[in-house]
Amino acid sequence: MALSINDYQERAHETADYLGMENGDYRYPVMGLSEEAGEVSGKFAKAVRDSNGIIDGERREAIKKELGDVCWFVAEIATILDLKLEDVMQGNLDKLASRKARGVIHGSGDNR
């Protein structure tokens, strides 16, 4: 049985335990997201530095774990903002499809 996006969000929040969470304090999850995204980037940087960019099985698994941490923080931020991940993700796909249809997928700026 596949895990739905919204089920993941709910289950991830059940593991949340940080100061301020009961008051909707977003600081820890936002800073944590930045930290974990940096760890993902760092795994790739070390692959470039040490292995000519090759992602072997061990490095792939390490990246998978860091991506999971990124997902947890994104889910927690969405929960704090009373957003469903399903809606966030669908909105992103709709935005990108619109940009592609209008031929501006490769441009820059939020309002294209």
Side-chain angles (χ1 to χ4, degrees):
M1 183 171 123
L3 178 66
S4 79
I5 295 163
N6 290 336
D7 285 342
Y8 172 83
Q9 181 178 1
E10 289 174 21
R11 290 174 59 188
H13 183 64
E14 290 172 5
T15 68
D17 184 15
Y18 55 91
L19 294 176
M21 66 175 280
E22 64 280 347
N23 300 322
D25 189 340
Y26 58 82
R27 291 177 295 174
Y28 170 69
V30 169
M31 289 184 278
L33 173 60
S34 179
E35 176 187 16
E36 295 299 338
E39 289 186 31
V40 171
S41 181
K43 299 287 185 198
F44 281 96
K46 288 177 182 169
V48 169
R49 181 191 70 193
D50 301 338
S51 304
N52 200 28
I54 295 169
I55 306 297
D56 60 13
E58 184 177 325
R59 188 168 274 127
R60 182 177 176 272
E61 285 303 308
I63 292 168
K64 177 182 172 182
K65 289 178 182 178
E66 298 303 338
L67 287 172
D69 292 339
V70 167
C71 290
W72 186 94
F73 281 108
V74 169
E76 188 62 12
I77 293 166
T79 297
I80 290 168
L81 296 175
D82 197 27
L83 298 169
K84 292 292 183 194
L85 275 180
E86 184 175 275
D87 297 334
V88 171
M89 293 171 144
Q90 186 62 58
N92 180 255
L93 289 175
D94 294 346
K95 174 185 76 174
L96 294 173
S98 171
R99 286 179 180 174
K100 185 170 183 177
R102 292 179 290 115
V104 295
I105 194 90
H106 292 286
S108 62
D110 290 338
N111 298 316
R112 55 188 152 100

Short mmCIF file of all heavy atoms in Angstrom, two decimals, residues 12-22 28-29 72-73 76:
data_model
loop_
_atom_site.label_atom_id
_atom_site.label_comp_id
_atom_site.label_asym_id
_atom_site.label_seq_id
_atom_site.Cartn_x
_atom_site.Cartn_y
_atom_site.Cartn_z
N ALA A 12 4.27 12.53 9.74
CA ALA A 12 5.50 13.27 10.02
C ALA A 12 5.27 14.23 11.19
O ALA A 12 6.10 14.33 12.09
CB ALA A 12 5.95 14.05 8.78
N HIS A 13 4.13 14.89 11.19
CA HIS A 13 3.84 15.84 12.27
C HIS A 13 3.73 15.14 13.63
O HIS A 13 4.09 15.73 14.66
CB HIS A 13 2.56 16.63 11.97
CG HIS A 13 2.25 17.66 13.00
ND1 HIS A 13 3.07 18.75 13.25
CD2 HIS A 13 1.23 17.76 13.87
CE1 HIS A 13 2.55 19.48 14.22
NE2 HIS A 13 1.44 18.90 14.62
N GLU A 14 3.29 13.90 13.61
CA GLU A 14 3.21 13.14 14.87
C GLU A 14 4.58 12.96 15.51
O GLU A 14 4.68 12.74 16.72
CB GLU A 14 2.56 11.77 14.62
CG GLU A 14 1.09 11.85 14.30
CD GLU A 14 0.50 10.52 13.86
OE1 GLU A 14 1.23 9.50 13.89
OE2 GLU A 14 -0.68 10.50 13.48
N THR A 15 5.64 13.07 14.72
CA THR A 15 6.99 12.92 15.26
C THR A 15 7.60 14.27 15.65
O THR A 15 8.71 14.30 16.18
CB THR A 15 7.93 12.24 14.24
OG1 THR A 15 8.15 13.12 13.13
CG2 THR A 15 7.35 10.90 13.78
N ALA A 16 6.90 15.35 15.39
CA ALA A 16 7.44 16.69 15.70
C ALA A 16 7.51 16.89 17.21
O ALA A 16 6.56 16.61 17.93
CB ALA A 16 6.56 17.76 15.06
N ASP A 17 8.65 17.39 17.65
CA ASP A 17 8.86 17.66 19.07
C ASP A 17 9.94 18.74 19.19
O ASP A 17 11.13 18.43 19.26
CB ASP A 17 9.27 16.39 19.80
CG ASP A 17 9.41 16.59 21.30
OD1 ASP A 17 8.93 17.62 21.83
OD2 ASP A 17 10.01 15.72 21.96
N TYR A 18 9.52 19.99 19.17
CA TYR A 18 10.46 21.09 19.29
C TYR A 18 9.79 22.26 20.00
O TYR A 18 8.56 22.38 20.01
CB TYR A 18 11.01 21.52 17.92
CG TYR A 18 9.95 21.87 16.90
CD1 TYR A 18 9.48 23.19 16.78
CD2 TYR A 18 9.40 20.91 16.07
CE1 TYR A 18 8.50 23.51 15.85
CE2 TYR A 18 8.44 21.23 15.14
CZ TYR A 18 7.99 22.53 15.03
OH TYR A 18 7.02 22.85 14.11
N LEU A 19 10.60 23.08 20.61
CA LEU A 19 10.07 24.23 21.34
C LEU A 19 9.31 25.15 20.40
O LEU A 19 9.77 25.44 19.30
CB LEU A 19 11.21 25.00 22.01
CG LEU A 19 11.95 24.27 23.12
CD1 LEU A 19 13.12 25.12 23.62
CD2 LEU A 19 11.01 23.93 24.27
N GLY A 20 8.15 25.60 20.82
CA GLY A 20 7.36 26.54 20.04
C GLY A 20 6.36 25.91 19.10
O GLY A 20 5.54 26.61 18.52
N MET A 21 6.44 24.58 18.93
CA MET A 21 5.55 23.97 17.93
C MET A 21 4.08 24.13 18.30
O MET A 21 3.24 24.26 17.42
CB MET A 21 5.89 22.50 17.70
CG MET A 21 5.66 21.59 18.88
SD MET A 21 5.97 19.88 18.48
CE MET A 21 4.45 19.46 17.66
N GLU A 22 3.79 24.15 19.60
CA GLU A 22 2.39 24.29 20.02
C GLU A 22 1.84 25.68 19.71
O GLU A 22 0.63 25.88 19.68
CB GLU A 22 2.24 23.96 21.51
CG GLU A 22 2.97 24.92 22.44
CD GLU A 22 4.47 24.65 22.56
OE1 GLU A 22 4.94 23.57 22.14
OE2 GLU A 22 5.17 25.53 23.08
N TYR A 28 12.15 26.91 13.73
CA TYR A 28 12.93 25.68 13.68
C TYR A 28 12.74 24.93 12.36
O TYR A 28 13.74 24.56 11.70
CB TYR A 28 12.62 24.77 14.88
CG TYR A 28 13.22 23.40 14.73
CD1 TYR A 28 14.60 23.21 14.80
CD2 TYR A 28 12.42 22.30 14.46
CE1 TYR A 28 15.16 21.96 14.63
CE2 TYR A 28 12.97 21.04 14.29
CZ TYR A 28 14.34 20.88 14.37
OH TYR A 28 14.89 19.63 14.19
N PRO A 29 11.51 24.68 11.92
CA PRO A 29 11.38 23.95 10.66
C PRO A 29 11.95 24.69 9.45
O PRO A 29 12.53 24.07 8.56
CB PRO A 29 9.88 23.72 10.49
CG PRO A 29 9.26 24.09 11.77
CD PRO A 29 10.23 24.87 12.57
N TRP A 72 10.46 15.96 5.55
CA TRP A 72 9.88 16.16 6.88
C TRP A 72 9.73 17.64 7.18
O TRP A 72 8.68 18.08 7.64
CB TRP A 72 10.75 15.48 7.94
CG TRP A 72 10.11 15.54 9.30
CD1 TRP A 72 9.31 14.58 9.85
CD2 TRP A 72 10.18 16.59 10.27
NE1 TRP A 72 8.88 14.98 11.11
CE2 TRP A 72 9.40 16.22 11.38
CE3 TRP A 72 10.82 17.82 10.29
CZ2 TRP A 72 9.25 17.03 12.51
CZ3 TRP A 72 10.67 18.63 11.42
CH2 TRP A 72 9.90 18.23 12.51
N PHE A 73 10.77 18.41 6.91
CA PHE A 73 10.70 19.84 7.20
C PHE A 73 9.68 20.55 6.32
O PHE A 73 8.94 21.42 6.79
CB PHE A 73 12.09 20.49 7.10
CG PHE A 73 12.93 20.25 8.31
CD1 PHE A 73 14.01 19.39 8.26
CD2 PHE A 73 12.65 20.87 9.52
CE1 PHE A 73 14.79 19.16 9.39
CE2 PHE A 73 13.42 20.65 10.65
CZ PHE A 73 14.49 19.80 10.59
N GLU A 76 6.32 19.75 7.75
CA GLU A 76 6.06 20.46 9.00
C GLU A 76 5.75 21.93 8.76
O GLU A 76 4.85 22.50 9.38
CB GLU A 76 7.25 20.30 9.95
CG GLU A 76 7.01 20.83 11.33
CD GLU A 76 5.88 20.15 12.10
OE1 GLU A 76 5.37 19.08 11.68
OE2 GLU A 76 5.49 20.70 13.14
#
